[in-house]
């Protein structure tokens, strides 16, 4: 921790830029989900938030100079860790399933209420 | 230390995410998001995760974009001529708080690419890398872990996809095929 403080913020950013990128993507994703009145854009924001977390996992598995984990009998290391890659592969597919159901609900909401803006939707629903 | 190419790609990805956030027209936001997915797929390749890169390019940039485009084809784009969305103070406050709190942990994280990170030193990583080929005869350790060591996990993933498909048909009222 002490040598981290001695290194200063520029060095901190240069060695951990993927993590900084993760944090920014999480912030942008959360902003879109909260701020955008449009339901489709809220789902896009959710997807950005999600890929921010993927970036954290894949960056944590990375080792400089290592190869992708194709092991075989003749392969020589070092290799990056395969486990975070597997977790993220699963997460990508689950994320698409989530997006598909969310967008299905959005189409249904549009058919029922004729709008995709969250504030208009709230007014229409209180009038009912 | 991050190289020039990864730094440019990371900047491009964050710029695309920002463009997605500020563009008011949903079609424009979807196109910016597709560019974002493609950029992040290239980052996966640079981080030695080609399997994740392939899946992201096919599923993230491909299938997800098609799903979004189908949705706006069946619904509406927001009315009005504004190019950019107006700034939302509450959302901005929350986003800045999230980034601020997370950024305060940056110094406690190990440098990216160091061989001393907990993930690289982990016994689990060593076990998979040393034994995957002998035990499964699959050269790609990612495939070996996905289909053999964590096969039940992958089956659970297939169940989620199936449930999503069923859920989608029920939501859209198409569960009966005439």
């Amino acid at each position: 921790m002490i040598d981290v403080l001695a290194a200063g913020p520029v060095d901190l950013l240069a060695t951990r830029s993927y993590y900084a990128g993760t944090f920014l993507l999480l912030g942008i994703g959360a902003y879109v989900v909260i701020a955008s009145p449009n339901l489709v854009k809220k789902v896009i924001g959710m997807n950005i938030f999600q890929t921010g977390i993927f970036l954290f996992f894949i960056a944590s598995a990375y080792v400089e100079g290592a190869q992708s984990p194709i092991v075989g009998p003749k392969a020589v290391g070092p290799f990056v860790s395969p486990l975070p890659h597997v977790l993220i592969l699963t997460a990508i597919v689950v994320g698409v399933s989530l997006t598909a159901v969310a967008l299905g609900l959005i189409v249904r909401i549009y058919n029922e209420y004729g709008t995709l803006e969250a504030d208009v939707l709230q007014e229409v629903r209180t009038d009912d | 230390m991050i190289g020039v190419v990864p730094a440019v790609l990371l900047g491009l990805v964050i710029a695309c995410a920002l463009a997605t956030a500020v563009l008011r027209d949903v079609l424009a936001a979807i196109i910016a998001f597709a560019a974002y997915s493609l950029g992040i797929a290239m980052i996966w390749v640079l981080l030695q995760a080609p399997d994740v890169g392939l899946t992201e390019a096919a599923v993230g940039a491909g299938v997800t974009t098609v799903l979004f485009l189908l949705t706006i084809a069946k619904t509406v784009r927001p009315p009005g001529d504004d190019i950019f969305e107006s700034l939302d103070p509450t959302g901005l406050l929350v986003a800045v708080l999230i980034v601020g709190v997370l950024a305060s942990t940056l110094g406690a994280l190990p440098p990216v690419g160091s061989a001393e990170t907990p993930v690289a030193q982990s016994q689990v990583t060593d076990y998979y890398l040393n034994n995957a080929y002998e035990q499964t005869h699959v050269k790609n350790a990612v495939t070996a872990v996905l289909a053999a060591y964590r096969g039940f996990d992958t089956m659970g993933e297939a169940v989620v996809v199936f449930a999503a498909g069923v859920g989608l048909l029920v939501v859209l009222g198409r569960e009966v095929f005439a």
Side-chain angles (χ1 to χ4, degrees):
Chain A
M1 191 64 205
I2 288 153
D3 43 292
V4 161
L5 286 178
V10 176
D11 198 47
L12 200 65
L13 266 182
T15 52
R16 294 165 179 80
S17 41
Y18 285 112
Y19 293 140
T22 293
F23 300 158
L24 283 177
L25 290 180
L26 293 183
I28 295 170
Y31 174 78
V32 176
V33 172
I34 297 166
S36 178
N38 187 285
L39 293 181
V40 178
K41 271 198 77 179
K42 280 184 198 286
V43 178
I44 297 181
M46 196 178 73
N47 272 289
I48 294 178
F49 193 93
Q50 194 178 292
T51 32
I53 296 170
F54 297 167
L55 184 58
F56 185 83
F57 270 71
I58 302 292
S60 76
Y62 180 64
V63 176
E64 208 151 321
Q67 297 174 8
S68 49
I70 311 293
V71 281
K74 284 180 198 150
V76 261
F79 302 107
V80 299
S81 175
L83 187 57
H85 298 185
V86 175
L87 297 177
I88 295 313
L89 279 177
T90 309
I92 288 177
V93 176
V94 171
V96 173
S97 310
L98 202 71
T99 307
V101 175
L103 291 176
L105 283 169
I106 285 173
V107 171
R108 187 69 192 268
I109 287 170
Y110 179 71
N111 290 343
E112 295 285 326
Y113 296 102
T115 179
L116 284 183
E117 308 295 305
D119 37 352
V120 183
L121 206 61
Q122 212 146 31
E123 279 171 36
V124 177
R125 292 210 57 201
T126 43
D127 289 346
D128 281 350
Chain B
M1 202 65 166
I2 189 166
V4 178
V5 178
V8 170
L9 263 180
L10 199 62
L12 177 88
V13 161
I14 291 168
C16 284
L18 276 175
T20 313
V22 296
L23 286 171
R24 194 179 131 74
D25 184 16
V26 178
L27 181 60
I30 291 169
I31 293 168
F33 180 69
Y36 164 84
S37 291
L38 208 59
I40 213 139
M42 288 191 267
I43 289 186
W44 298 157
V45 175
L46 289 176
L47 288 176
Q48 301 294 342
D51 311 76
V52 185
L54 275 175
T55 314
E56 179 76 38
V59 170
V63 177
T64 310
T65 309
V66 172
L67 285 175
F68 278 122
L69 289 176
L70 280 177
T71 309
I72 58 161
K74 281 183 173 294
T75 59
V76 278
R77 283 154 65 177
D81 292 329
D82 296 346
I83 296 177
F84 298 114
E85 200 126 32
S86 54
L87 215 59
D88 180 74
T90 327
L92 200 63
L93 182 73
V94 174
V96 168
L97 273 178
I98 290 177
V99 175
V101 170
L102 288 173
S104 69
T105 67
L106 199 62
L109 289 165
V112 176
S114 144
E116 271 90 56
T117 61
V119 177
Q121 299 269 304
S122 159
Q123 288 181 343
V124 182
T125 299
D126 283 343
Y127 183 86
Y128 285 147
L129 289 177
N130 294 331
N131 299 308
Y133 185 66
E134 285 93 76
Q135 291 180 342
T136 62
H137 297 284
V138 177
K139 279 187 184 165
N140 187 345
V142 175
T143 314
V145 177
L146 189 78
Y149 294 106
R150 297 180 65 90
F152 276 116
D153 204 17
T154 306
M155 192 180 81
E157 173 194 334
V159 172
V160 168
V161 174
F162 177 73
V166 173
L168 195 59
L169 292 177
V170 171
V171 163
L172 294 177
R174 298 263 178 83
E175 63 269 46
V176 180
F177 293 100

